[in-house]
Amino acid sequence: MSTHTFNRAIVRTPSRSVVHGLRAVDTGSPQYEAVLREHAAYVAFLQSEGVSVETLPLLEDFPDSVFVEDVALVFTGAAIALRPGAPTRRGETSEIVPTLERHFERVLHLTKGSAEGGDVLTTANAVFIGLSARTSAKGAQSLLQLLGEIGHRGVVVQTPPSVLHLKSDCALLDEETILCTPRLAASEPFPGFRLLLTSAGEEGAANALAVGDQILLSQGYPRTAEALAKAGYEVKTLATAEIAKIDAGLSCMSLRWRS
Ligand code: CIR
């Protein structure tokens, strides 16, 4: 089964508190209306590609709750509710569990350590788990076990130091190809895959999203966009400048699976 093609997605409307979202470096707070616009354009794009999107209500108590990708892993027929490593995000999990229970026959729960979905790259034969400040060794080990229970093989890799999530630095473009930053590629985490590297100074392009036959890329990375086009991919760009102020890109705003 193709892992990068999906026809279902869950998103959550950004709360007004999103302006207080976590960030590694403060470059100013995002503007709420602009975040809403970026989010709406993202949802509209998914829908225009035939994806059925369920939008969950905003959660003012959780500034980062728009980033639903971090609180669960979803597969055809099964989901794993995660334990975010960021203390302010831990309560987001119980908010999404009822939705997971509606959509998936099996819902498993990570109960040890911490792991965030941004640290998980799902491919056809392996689910890569990046150790990071958000995903602990204990969380990763526990996740390996849960993945095994639902028939997936997990592989633990290292997210580069000071990088928020594994997928801040990579994205699956198709079954054989991963878009990757040079700093992540240096540790050779994805044996057997063809790597396309982001251009110098364009590391932010790596958090891309393959949607059907297109690659959704953040605006502002012209050389990586050109390299992808040259490699034969159809590239579509979206504005993410506001959401990027709180360390987010394109994968984090949805949970995606094939039903
Ligand atoms: C956080 O620090 O948790 C949020 N401000 C950003 C989360 C981005 N998540 C992702 O890329 N999967």
Side-chain angles (χ1 to χ4, degrees):
M1 185 205 60
S2 195
T3 46
H4 65 287
T5 57
F6 54 93
N7 59 359
R8 306 293 299 268
I10 294 167
V11 302
R12 189 183 288 288
T13 303
S15 56
R16 284 201 168 271
S17 59
V18 74
V19 301
H20 305 301
L22 295 170
R23 66 211 74 176
V25 178
D26 199 355
T27 59
S29 291
Q31 204 241 339
Y32 182 57
E33 303 301 331
V35 170
L36 279 183
R37 278 197 297 277
E38 289 182 356
H39 191 262
Y42 176 80
V43 172
F45 178 74
L46 295 183
Q47 288 172 328
S48 74
E49 291 301 308
V51 178
S52 165
V53 181
E54 175 172 354
T55 302
L56 303 179
L58 56 82
L59 297 172
E60 281 304 344
D61 289 347
F62 298 101
D64 289 292
S65 55
V66 59
F67 306 123
V68 285
E69 175 181 72
D70 293 323
V71 296
L73 296 184
V74 294
F75 304 92
T76 302
I80 302 177
L82 298 174
R83 288 187 90 219
T88 57
R89 301 201 59 189
R90 197 149 282 178
E92 291 175 31
T93 302
S94 56
E95 298 286 347
I96 206 150
V97 165
T99 305
L100 298 178
E101 285 171 345
R102 265 194 296 111
H103 285 288
F104 301 95
E105 273 163 47
R106 289 189 75 185
V107 179
L108 308 184
H109 297 261
L110 186 77
T111 55
K112 294 181 196 137
S114 66
E116 296 190 358
D119 276 318
V120 180
L121 179 75
T122 300
T123 72
N125 299 319
V127 178
F128 293 97
I129 306 165
L131 298 174
S132 72
R134 301 289 182 89
T135 295
S136 65
K138 201 170 173 183
Q141 285 308 315
S142 176
L143 196 47
L144 286 180
Q145 198 176 330
L146 296 176
L147 285 166
E149 285 179 37
I150 54 171
H152 292 277
R153 183 175 73 93
V155 177
V156 178
V157 299
Q158 188 68 50
T159 298
S162 80
V163 170
L164 175 60
H165 287 133
L166 180 68
K167 281 196 307 237
S168 307
D169 272 33
C170 64
L172 188 71
L173 299 182
D174 57 43
E175 294 301 338
E176 295 95 36
T177 316
I178 293 175
L179 176 65
C180 192
T181 61
R183 66 189 169 202
L184 175 58
S187 64
E188 301 182 7
F190 308 122
F193 283 88
R194 180 168 74 114
L195 297 188
L196 278 182
L197 298 183
T198 54
S199 301
E202 294 195 354
E203 288 77 11
N207 187 245
L209 188 62
V211 186
D213 292 334
Q214 301 187 63
I215 305 299
L216 196 53
L217 201 68
S218 289
Q219 280 173 5
Y221 302 109
R223 282 168 297 145
T224 304
E226 198 184 316
L228 287 172
K230 262 194 190 146
Y233 294 97
E234 191 181 334
V235 178
K236 159 86 186 170
T237 59
L238 273 189
T240 56
E242 289 301 306
I243 210 87
K245 290 178 183 169
I246 47 172
D247 299 341
L250 292 164
S251 74
C252 52
M253 291 189 278
S254 59
L255 281 167
R256 305 161 297 277
W257 75 103
R258 182 143 204 102
S259 67

